[in-house]
Amino acid sequence: MQSLALIAPLIILLPSLGTFINFFWGPKLNERWSSLIGITASASTFVVWLVLFAYLNGNYYQPAIVDPPILDGWIRIPSIGLEIPWQQRIDTLSMAMMGFVTFVGTLIHIYASGYMHGDPRFSRFFAYLNMFLAFMLILVSGNNLLMMFVGWEGVGLCSYLLIGFWWDKKHGVGIKNSNAARKAFIANRVGDFGLLMAIFLAFWTFGTLDFYKPTEVTNPHMMETLASGGGHGEETPAAEEGDHSEETPAGEEEGEGDHSGSAALMVSLTSDLTLEQEGDHGEEAADSHGEEGHAGPVIEHTDNAHLAFNQLGIFAQAEKLAKLGEGETVDRGDGTTMGRMVNFGAFELDIDTVITLITLFMLLGAAGKSAQIPLFVWLPDAMAGPTPVSALIHAATMVTAGVYMMVRANSFFYLAEFSSLVVTIVGVLTAIIAGYIAIGQFDIKRVLAYSTVSQLGFMVAAVGIGAYGAAMFHMITHAFFKALLFLGSGSVIHGVEHGHHHAHEHKHNDHGHDEHHAEEFDPQDMRNMGGLRRKMPITYATYLIGTLALAGLYPFAGFWSKDEILADSWIAAIQDGKFAGFIALGLFAAAALTAFYMWRQIEMVFHGSPRTEAAEQASESVWTMTVPLIVLAVLSLLGGFLNIPSGIGLFSFGLQGIFGEHTLSTWLEYSVLHLHVASFQPLIAIISLVLAVAAIILANRIYGANKAINSEGLDPLEANPASRRVFALSNARLYWDEMYDRLFITPFKRVAAFLANVVDWAFLHDYFHDTVITKGFNGIGRLLSQPVDLGIIDGTVNGFGRLARWISGGLRRTQTGYVRVYAVALLIGVVAVIVFMLLPVLQG
Amino acid sequence: MVPTEAYVILSMVLFAMGTMGVLLRRNAIVVFMSVELMLNSANIALVAFSRQWGQADGHLFTFFVMTVAAAEVAVGLALIVAIFRTKQSINIDELHLMEG
């Protein structure tokens, strides 16, 4: 069973292989093979996931850390103690992420094989999709911040490539697509800076980037509970929980023994890691583990107490440091000690400050990737990419990376109250503002894009109030229904486009000439639709399910997940008196907006009568597109039962008996230390339901009965003088992009112009280049050529020549040509030699 | 028996006379003859020393010298005849075409 986890690297390797095949041999493959390879690569990751899931279930949810053999010791510089292994972390949190990434990803691959039919770069598209999948899985399965960053950048790159996939479209559309891709990339880079800073800070502070080291137990308390449960099968007495989470009877799960319900879900670490449950959490949460006195645990280590400090990952280290009192120190395990103060060389910071900084930087990173204020502007533009991309990346997976990161770092956010407040504010503002903007959009995908931004705001706000489980829950259900809605919109666009072509062919045949061909037609504009209900019944039915799920209607998935976030904010605000909770109550407004704009879309697209010939001629999409829609619709309908809250009361209908209570939260808790669950709040459920239904009725009154677009092509809100301004502001997207233009782009261009014209051209080129460099160079050149080269060097050489000539001129005269002179010279020479030889004899 | 010194002195006198002839005379033929005189003075010395030491080396060298002298005269005379034909003179002071 243990060895099963070793297949984890395959989950990255297989899509990478798909990428390589499609990238290098794609042009030689036909569409059938390209899509087959892409889909196989994607589906196989889901199979790997299933195996890993079986492993994790069979291993009491104990996290596995897998080192791929080749990449062992990924980054290792012993001299400075830098060791960043390439490790995959198989725990419940990463598995939850991988689950919907691989499953929804596979469905979207299948869908894309139909949607992208006939595209000249068909195989390239599948290569990118597979590459995206590989990077996303690196992101969520990495056991350290740097691996996460690798995936983070990788999905950013794929997003760039895929948004700009149709860069060569004609009539300026291609340029628009490229600009959208660049916008996404640049906005993401701003966020990436934040994440990088967080990584640097974490490394400086903790000396490692691992989330948890392989020797550690992620959630010591849960492990102990499990050990006792698994070992004895006895009922764990559920401890009384302080405030909000009601005590729940232990839920039986797959014959696995039991969990001590919500009491166990409260934070608690054994021995030296135990956090004092003070203030907002009321009494001590669970003191059960100390008193139960089990013997012979199945799992050997139930806590991290025996581990030296430097054997802990960043989160456990942070927990330990933050708990230290003034002047207390902790043994690092290598002979040094560390207190609360973190030494940055020039200055020291308290650990709380450091964690606040790290979390704020993380928030910036999440704002970039998860499209939060102020960096959300890229996501709506990202709709320029093909629709499967919008669904896969910009609704279901990549944009959730920021939320995943924050949930993964829940220990940090739990410790940083100020950051959590900021996170809440950002999330709520994003949810409301994006929801408001969505009302005024006419592009079918743009509405969904703003809706995604808004829903991500929900998740971020949930993280801010500490509802990490609710954030994950909403992320998963949102992945289902937002992927469904995007794919549905793609189906609609496809249908309308086909209808448009069809209509044209008719004209062509009838009249023999084609006068409408040059006419601009936007198949994504909802004003061109209407009445598609009868033309595309499957798309309509699934789209309706997605809409109701997103709007949060009972019993669709969105109801449960959104309600959990709302309930958590309610509890945090009313019961705990947390300020962040009061802010999060603003999410009600966002929820109402969601229902309103989604119903507006339904009315505009599907109801009423067709407004254009293209809509009239639209037809249902092929089965490769509708089958994923149906599967996702089923999931949107049932996905909420993953995590039925406790105390459900009247809404129950025996559901919890079938699906189990808090299944997802309990499951996630093995890896999310500070997860806690909220019980069902009937009041919240009723308020949110009433708001959603009221918003839908209101939308129906305004847009229903064929009033979606009036005769002048205006939105009813636009035509009504009372609401015209509100609508115009929404339609203009609050002038947010224009504000960016004013604040950043125009000043940037001015600075660039100044730098180019004045600094570069006038100063650097004209003055510095011409005057200083050119003249200086000429001066030095003259100096070197005239006195030095001509004077000294040439003079010397010529001097030698003259000297040789002068000497030879003198010597020449000795060559008289008279034999007797030579003979005399010979004689003198001979005599001289003889005298020289005889000299010693003569002297002696 | 005539002592070796006498031969050596004769050789020296003849060598000095030959040297003077080479240095002072202008007629190319006489210069040649003076050179022969110097060579033969050397031959006398060689033979005298050879006799004194009872070794045959000196005799042998004498033959070499005589052979070389004969060859030199053959070449030299031919040159002088050729020069005379063109210049109508064998005065070596007039033959300084090779001056530097």
Side-chain angles (χ1 to χ4, degrees):
Chain A
M1 206 63 186
Q2 192 71 39
S3 55
L4 271 184
L6 295 178
I7 69 164
L10 284 180
I11 209 166
I12 296 169
L13 193 67
L14 290 169
S16 308
L17 264 178
T19 307
F20 276 109
I21 294 172
N22 259 331
F23 199 84
F24 290 111
W25 292 282
K28 287 180 192 153
L29 300 170
N30 57 19
E31 276 190 14
R32 212 187 145 126
W33 277 100
S34 277
S35 57
L36 200 64
I37 287 163
I39 293 166
T40 310
S42 172
S44 59
T45 59
F46 183 65
V47 174
V48 173
W49 182 80
L50 286 176
V51 175
L52 290 174
F53 184 80
Y55 156 77
L56 200 63
N57 270 349
N59 203 33
Y60 305 106
Y61 308 119
Q62 202 181 14
I65 290 178
V66 184
D67 291 293
I70 308 166
L71 286 166
D72 184 36
W74 179 37
I75 296 176
R76 183 181 282 156
I77 306 174
S79 60
I80 55 167
L82 178 70
E83 163 105 43
I84 300 169
W86 182 274
Q87 283 174 335
Q88 282 179 287
R89 181 171 186 81
I90 306 301
D91 65 8
T92 51
L93 178 58
S94 66
M95 284 302 286
M97 292 295 295
M98 283 191 256
F100 75 78
V101 169
T102 53
F103 184 73
V104 176
T106 304
L107 286 179
I108 288 166
H109 275 74
I110 294 169
Y111 177 92
S113 70
Y115 188 87
M116 297 302 285
H117 173 70
D119 194 282
R121 286 193 297 271
F122 188 86
S123 60
R124 178 67 61 89
F125 185 78
F126 273 85
Y128 287 163
L129 276 190
N130 277 344
M131 179 157 74
F132 168 79
L133 204 60
F135 275 121
M136 188 68 198
L137 290 167
I138 290 175
L139 196 165
V140 295
S141 75
N143 188 35
N144 56 57
L145 280 172
L146 201 65
M147 268 182 82
M148 194 174 83
F149 189 70
V150 169
W152 190 274
E153 289 301 310
V155 291
L157 166 70
C158 295
S159 165
Y160 169 77
L161 293 171
L162 286 166
I163 294 170
F165 191 75
W166 285 328
W167 52 269
D168 56 350
K169 275 201 172 177
K170 293 196 173 59
H171 308 303
V173 178
I175 299 288
K176 236 187 254 170
N177 291 351
S178 316
N179 281 340
R182 287 194 303 155
K183 190 170 179 182
F185 202 73
I186 292 164
N188 265 295
R189 292 239 65 82
V190 178
D192 294 345
F193 159 77
L195 182 59
L196 265 182
M197 290 303 288
I199 291 174
F200 292 152
L201 262 179
F203 188 76
W204 186 279
T205 310
F206 305 113
T208 177
L209 289 177
D210 289 359
F211 296 144
Y212 296 98
K213 300 270 185 191
T215 42
E216 272 184 87
V217 175
T218 314
N219 194 339
H221 178 68
M222 284 304 281
M223 281 304 153
E224 179 156 318
T225 314
L226 253 186
S228 61
H232 305 282
E234 68 186 280
E235 276 296 314
T236 310
E240 196 56 40
E241 159 53 34
D243 278 325
H244 38 78
S245 301
E246 279 178 31
E247 179 247 297
T248 40
E252 285 291 322
E253 225 184 60
E254 299 169 43
E256 194 66 61
D258 45 51
H259 314 297
S260 62
S262 54
L265 300 185
M266 281 313 298
V267 184
S268 87
L269 292 163
T270 47
S271 54
D272 66 332
L273 280 179
T274 306
L275 282 172
E276 293 300 317
Q277 301 291 312
E278 288 173 343
D280 44 46
H281 283 276
E283 305 166 24
E284 183 66 39
D287 48 357
S288 52
H289 60 270
E291 295 163 11
E292 282 161 340
H294 311 295
V298 171
I299 295 155
E300 200 181 337
H301 301 304
T302 55
D303 59 53
N304 297 323
H306 65 289
L307 292 174
F309 187 69
N310 61 1
Q311 285 176 307
L312 297 174
I314 49 176
F315 298 134
Q317 283 196 13
E319 303 263 357
K320 213 167 186 176
L321 285 178
K323 224 162 24 64
L324 290 177
E326 201 63 52
E328 279 183 290
T329 56
V330 62
D331 184 15
R332 285 197 71 99
D334 54 2
T336 57
T337 56
M338 186 172 174
R340 284 186 66 88
M341 303 306 281
V342 182
N343 185 5
F344 285 92
F347 54 95
E348 281 194 333
L349 288 178
D350 190 79
I351 185 72
D352 288 340
T353 319
V354 174
I355 290 174
T356 304
L357 279 175
I358 291 177
T359 44
L360 285 178
F361 279 128
M362 278 181 166
L363 173 64
L364 182 58
K369 196 71 46 185
S370 291
Q372 297 297 297
I373 288 173
L375 298 175
F376 69 88
V377 289
W378 67 270
L379 184 56
D381 284 36
M383 299 304 129
T387 300
V389 173
S390 309
L392 175 64
I393 303 186
H394 306 121
T397 61
M398 179 178 107
V399 291
T400 60
V403 180
Y404 162 75
M405 184 218 356
M406 294 202 286
V407 173
R408 177 59 90 185
N410 65 84
S411 289
F412 286 171
F413 283 91
Y414 186 80
L415 292 169
E417 228 164 281
F418 173 71
S419 303
S420 291
L421 182 64
V422 177
V423 170
T424 316
I425 294 172
V426 167
V428 174
L429 278 182
T430 308
I432 295 176
I433 288 178
Y436 169 62
I437 295 176
I439 289 174
Q441 303 304 313
F442 287 115
D443 185 311
I444 183 168
K445 277 168 77 182
R446 219 168 243 276
V447 173
L448 294 176
Y450 277 109
S451 163
T452 302
V453 175
S454 174
Q455 297 307 308
L456 288 166
F458 270 84
M459 298 172 212
V460 171
V463 171
I465 53 173
Y468 308 109
M472 287 300 295
F473 183 30
H474 195 52
M475 185 196 291
I476 292 168
T477 57
H478 177 256
F480 295 149
F481 53 70
K482 193 49 71 63
L484 164 63
L485 287 172
F486 264 113
L487 298 186
S489 75
S491 175
V492 167
I493 294 165
H494 221 245
V496 173
E497 224 166 26
H498 273 250
H500 181 61
H501 288 307
H502 201 243
H504 269 292
E505 271 164 29
H506 261 273
K507 277 221 177 84
H508 196 77
N509 292 341
D510 288 356
H511 305 294
H513 61 88
D514 195 354
E515 51 202 48
H516 285 263
H517 203 71
E519 188 185 290
E520 285 292 322
F521 178 80
D522 186 359
Q524 304 196 13
D525 195 327
M526 295 194 291
R527 283 171 291 199
N528 292 335
M529 299 174 189
L532 290 177
R533 177 171 40 171
R534 277 179 300 277
K535 313 285 176 194
M536 310 177 80
I538 301 176
T539 307
Y540 171 66
T542 52
Y543 206 91
L544 195 63
I545 290 173
T547 300
L548 296 178
L550 178 56
L553 254 57
Y554 180 84
F556 296 97
F559 169 77
W560 302 103
S561 58
K562 201 178 284 181
D563 184 69
E564 192 163 330
I565 294 177
L566 293 171
D568 266 308
S569 66
W570 176 266
I571 288 163
I574 306 300
Q575 293 184 6
D576 297 355
K578 264 197 193 168
F579 187 52
F582 287 106
I583 295 168
L585 288 177
L587 292 176
F588 281 108
L593 287 172
T594 309
F596 182 82
Y597 63 69
M598 283 316 293
W599 198 259
R600 169 179 179 263
Q601 196 176 36
I602 288 281
E603 293 285 357
M604 273 193 179
V605 175
F606 292 104
H607 293 180
S609 51
R611 285 186 292 275
T612 58
E613 215 167 336
E616 187 85 56
Q617 303 277 357
S619 57
E620 186 58 279
S621 303
V622 292
W623 68 269
T624 43
M625 287 163 74
T626 49
V627 167
L629 288 180
I630 293 165
V631 175
L632 284 169
V634 170
L635 283 170
S636 302
L637 191 57
L638 301 177
F641 300 126
L642 276 175
N643 204 26
I644 292 179
S646 54
I648 189 165
L650 277 176
F651 285 85
S652 158
F653 301 115
L655 285 172
Q656 62 216 82
I658 305 171
F659 296 103
E661 259 177 10
H662 293 305
T663 311
L664 182 71
S665 295
T666 315
W667 200 64
L668 282 174
E669 207 218 342
Y670 290 95
S671 44
V672 183
L673 187 58
H674 294 281
L675 186 136
H676 70 111
V677 296
S679 55
F680 188 70
Q681 304 287 318
L683 185 62
I684 298 298
I686 290 166
I687 292 176
S688 70
L689 262 182
V690 166
L691 275 175
V693 171
I696 287 177
I697 292 172
L698 183 66
N700 187 47
R701 293 292 286 278
I702 296 176
Y703 295 100
N706 222 357
K707 289 188 295 190
I709 297 292
N710 70 8
S711 51
E712 289 143 46
L714 295 175
D715 189 284
L717 287 179
E718 204 175 5
N720 187 348
S723 58
R724 184 180 297 152
R725 292 184 113 167
V726 178
F727 183 85
L729 197 60
S730 164
N731 184 252
R733 289 167 279 148
L734 283 176
Y735 298 102
W736 204 283
D737 283 36
E738 286 77 1
M739 186 186 78
Y740 267 29
D741 264 350
R742 288 265 172 80
L743 278 181
F744 298 107
I745 296 170
T746 313
F748 183 82
K749 280 184 176 162
R750 288 223 184 102
V751 171
F754 173 78
L755 286 174
N757 294 333
V758 179
V759 176
D760 185 52
W761 197 248
F763 175 75
L764 270 181
H765 192 270
D766 287 357
Y767 173 74
F768 190 75
H769 203 259
D770 283 0
T771 309
V772 179
I773 295 183
T774 313
K775 283 195 180 149
F777 190 81
N778 283 345
I780 293 172
R782 264 197 300 278
L783 184 78
L784 285 175
S785 68
Q786 285 291 337
V788 177
D789 190 42
L790 288 180
I792 299 174
I793 296 173
D794 283 13
T796 311
V797 175
N798 289 341
F800 277 117
R802 266 200 296 278
L803 187 71
R805 200 188 302 165
W806 179 74
I807 294 171
S808 61
L811 286 176
R812 188 174 62 109
R813 296 178 202 288
T814 60
Q815 301 296 319
T816 57
Y818 294 111
V819 176
R820 288 175 306 137
V821 175
Y822 298 147
V824 170
L826 200 64
L827 183 73
I828 293 168
V830 168
V831 170
V833 169
I834 290 171
V835 168
F836 180 74
M837 287 168 70
L838 290 179
L839 211 56
V841 184
L842 295 173
Q843 279 174 341
Chain B
M1 175 141 160
V2 181
T4 309
E5 285 85 353
Y7 291 106
V8 174
I9 288 165
L10 174 66
S11 165
M12 283 167 69
V13 169
L14 284 176
F15 191 86
M17 285 169 69
T19 308
M20 299 313 285
V22 169
L23 292 181
L24 299 178
R25 297 305 294 258
R26 289 177 188 162
N27 189 316
I29 300 287
V30 179
V31 170
F32 251 112
M33 287 157 67
S34 302
V35 169
E36 293 302 313
L37 202 58
M38 287 164 76
L39 288 173
N40 280 320
S41 77
N43 278 351
I44 290 168
L46 283 170
V47 173
F49 288 124
S50 182
R51 193 196 63 158
Q52 184 183 10
W53 298 112
Q55 300 270 340
D57 302 24
H59 299 288
L60 206 60
F61 276 121
T62 306
F63 286 113
F64 276 110
V65 172
M66 285 161 73
T67 313
V68 171
E72 184 206 324
V73 167
V75 174
L77 280 179
L79 280 172
I80 289 166
V81 169
I83 288 167
F84 182 76
R85 278 195 185 150
T86 54
K87 289 266 179 189
Q88 297 297 321
S89 158
I90 52 169
N91 184 339
I92 54 169
D93 281 1
E94 289 168 12
L95 302 176
H96 53 89
L97 289 172
M98 307 286 278
E99 74 179 315

